[in-house]
Amino acid sequence: MSDEPAVYDHYRLTEGADAGAAFRVVGVDEKRVTLLRVTDTDGNRAATGDLRHVAHDRLGPAFAPANNPDPRFETPDYLAGLLLVGGIALAAHPAGDRVGGAILAAGGGYLLWRRH
């Protein structure tokens, strides 16, 4: 990450009630940086819609460079979701196998439930 913020850079708030929350740069102009909050204070992904407009000289004291936060769902979660959706599609299709679809959907749902 360079000294100048660029779109898609990430920063972590270092002060205030929201300290620890991660933000993504979504806009930069000559006066300020526009940041979108992408995590809560514990680092969990969150769709907040919280935009902050920070002057360039205020960015350094209030925010520290950070890595892109991990995705909320990992590969096993996506695979379990595919089992769930695929099972529903198989069971609902007129030429599909209702029992096999129900087993796949139940398995995918169970895996998602166990992981979260």
Side-chain angles (χ1 to χ4, degrees):
M1 192 178 303
S2 69
D3 291 340
E4 289 297 315
V7 172
Y8 203 73
D9 285 347
H10 290 81
Y11 288 88
R12 189 161 307 282
L13 187 61
T14 58
E15 56 188 36
D18 293 332
F23 291 79
R24 174 180 296 131
V25 176
V26 294
V28 180
D29 63 22
E30 61 277 347
K31 294 182 182 180
R32 64 186 183 175
V33 177
T34 303
L35 302 163
L36 172 66
R37 184 174 176 174
V38 294
T39 72
D40 60 16
T41 55
D42 295 327
N44 300 314
R45 283 270 187 185
T48 64
D50 180 10
L51 284 176
R52 308 271 176 107
H53 303 284
V54 181
H56 283 274
D57 62 341
R58 183 79 180 111
L59 186 65
F63 291 87
N67 292 327
N68 186 3
D70 291 330
R72 184 173 180 173
F73 293 105
E74 297 174 2
T75 302
D77 297 319
Y78 287 112
L79 295 176
L82 284 174
L83 282 175
L84 177 64
V85 172
I88 292 170
L90 181 63
H93 192 275
D97 179 8
R98 293 189 191 278
V99 174
I103 291 170
L104 284 176
Y110 177 75
L111 290 173
L112 284 172
W113 174 72
R114 291 293 296 167
R115 288 188 52 81
H116 297 281

